[in-house]
């Protein structure tokens, strides 16, 4: 989806929000579903991972992911105030976990590799097919790559595969049911986040 823009006028369907004006609109308007979504994902992480040093990093990603999903579904935006700070926050939280985790330094290096690899993958796609992905997707991808990379190559591959599989199935379903055509913009952020969750739950 497109990167955060400066739209604040009417588009015929109501106000168009933006992170520069008030990207928090979708979150403020439906705080309960966003909070419930975050709690459910954190509960899944605790169930699958247990109480581990790196749990804080993944719990943070779950909370931010719930907010990003609400914003992207409504506005087709992944606002910078949520995506960009996720890089240092994830790296700091995982860095703190390094001394308390088996092969923590190796996992941290893998997290950096996962970040660069996933960011690069999405950046190349954005360059080749800019109408299929927005730069907001690129900005989010690296943060997700940190978490997947920390868990290892299998988690990274599973997560990335799940992102595109889930997004593809949804797109095909819309086309088959004639609820969209090939030119319809579909928010991909939720599928990136869902795919990441699949990778984490499968390999944590």
């Amino acid at each position: 989806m497109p990167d955060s823009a400066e739209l604040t006028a009417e588009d015929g369907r109501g106000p168009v929000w933006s992170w520069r004006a008030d990207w928090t609109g979708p979150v403020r308007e439906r705080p309960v579903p966003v909070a419930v979504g975050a709690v459910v994902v954190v509960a899944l992480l605790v169930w699958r991972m247990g109480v581990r040093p790196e749990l804080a990093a993944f719990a943070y990603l779950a909370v931010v992911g719930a907010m990003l999903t609400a914003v992207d579904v409504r506005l087709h935006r992944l606002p910078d105030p949520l995506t960009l700070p996720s890089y240092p926050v994830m790296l700091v939280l995982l860095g703190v976990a390094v001394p308390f985790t088996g092969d923590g330094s190796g996992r941290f290096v893998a997290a950096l590799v996962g970040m660069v690899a996933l960011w690069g993958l999405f950046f190349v796609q954005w360059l080749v097919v800019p109408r299929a992905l927005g730069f907001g997707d690129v900005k989010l991808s690296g943060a997700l790559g940190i978490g997947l990379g920390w868990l290892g190559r299998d988690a990274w591959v599973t997560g990335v595969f799940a992102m595109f599989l889930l997004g593809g199935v949804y797109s095909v379903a819309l086309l088959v049911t004639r609820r969209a055509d090939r030119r319809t913009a579909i928010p991909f952020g939720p599928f990136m986040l869902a795919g990441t969750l699949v990778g984490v739950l499968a390999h944590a």
Side-chain angles (χ1 to χ4, degrees), residues 1 41 45 58 60-73 77-79 82-83 86 118 122 136-137 140-141 143-145 148 158-160 162-164 166-167 187-201:
M1 68 294 307
V41 175
L45 293 173
F58 290 94
Y60 163 82
L61 202 57
V63 174
V64 171
M67 297 172 66
L68 284 170
T69 296
V71 175
D72 202 17
V73 168
R77 297 285 184 271
L78 292 171
L82 290 179
T83 58
S86 296
L118 196 54
F122 272 77
D137 298 320
L140 174 61
S141 65
L144 301 182
L148 291 172
T158 300
V160 175
M163 293 178 192
F164 291 100
L166 294 172
F188 193 55
F191 300 106
M192 295 172 65
L193 291 159
T196 299
L197 181 61
V198 170
V200 171
L201 295 179

Side-chain angles (χ1 to χ4, degrees), residues 54-203:
E54 64 266 39
L55 178 62
F58 290 94
Y60 163 82
L61 202 57
V63 174
V64 171
M67 297 172 66
L68 284 170
T69 296
V71 175
D72 202 17
V73 168
R74 170 80 179 276
L75 310 179
H76 289 205
R77 297 285 184 271
L78 292 171
D80 289 351
L82 290 179
T83 58
L84 298 185
S86 296
Y87 286 81
V89 172
M90 287 289 292
L91 291 174
V92 168
L93 291 175
L94 291 177
V96 171
V98 166
F100 309 100
T101 304
D103 192 26
S105 58
R107 284 179 177 268
F108 192 80
V109 171
L112 294 176
V113 173
M115 173 187 71
V116 173
L118 196 54
W119 189 92
L121 175 63
F122 272 77
F123 181 70
V124 169
Q125 290 183 88
W126 177 75
L127 285 178
V128 175
V129 193
R131 301 186 68 176
L133 289 174
F135 204 67
D137 298 320
V138 180
K139 294 176 183 177
L140 174 61
S141 65
L144 301 182
I146 293 173
L148 291 172
W150 172 272
L151 295 176
R153 181 182 60 185
D154 290 344
W156 193 94
V157 172
T158 300
V160 175
F161 178 77
M163 293 178 192
F164 291 100
L165 176 63
L166 294 172
V169 169
Y170 179 75
S171 299
V172 170
L174 289 182
L175 291 173
V176 170
T177 58
R178 298 185 179 181
R179 296 175 59 190
D181 57 36
R182 295 181 181 277
R183 294 173 295 178
T184 302
I186 297 173
F188 193 55
F191 300 106
M192 295 172 65
L193 291 159
T196 299
L197 181 61
V198 170
V200 171
L201 295 179
H203 298 281

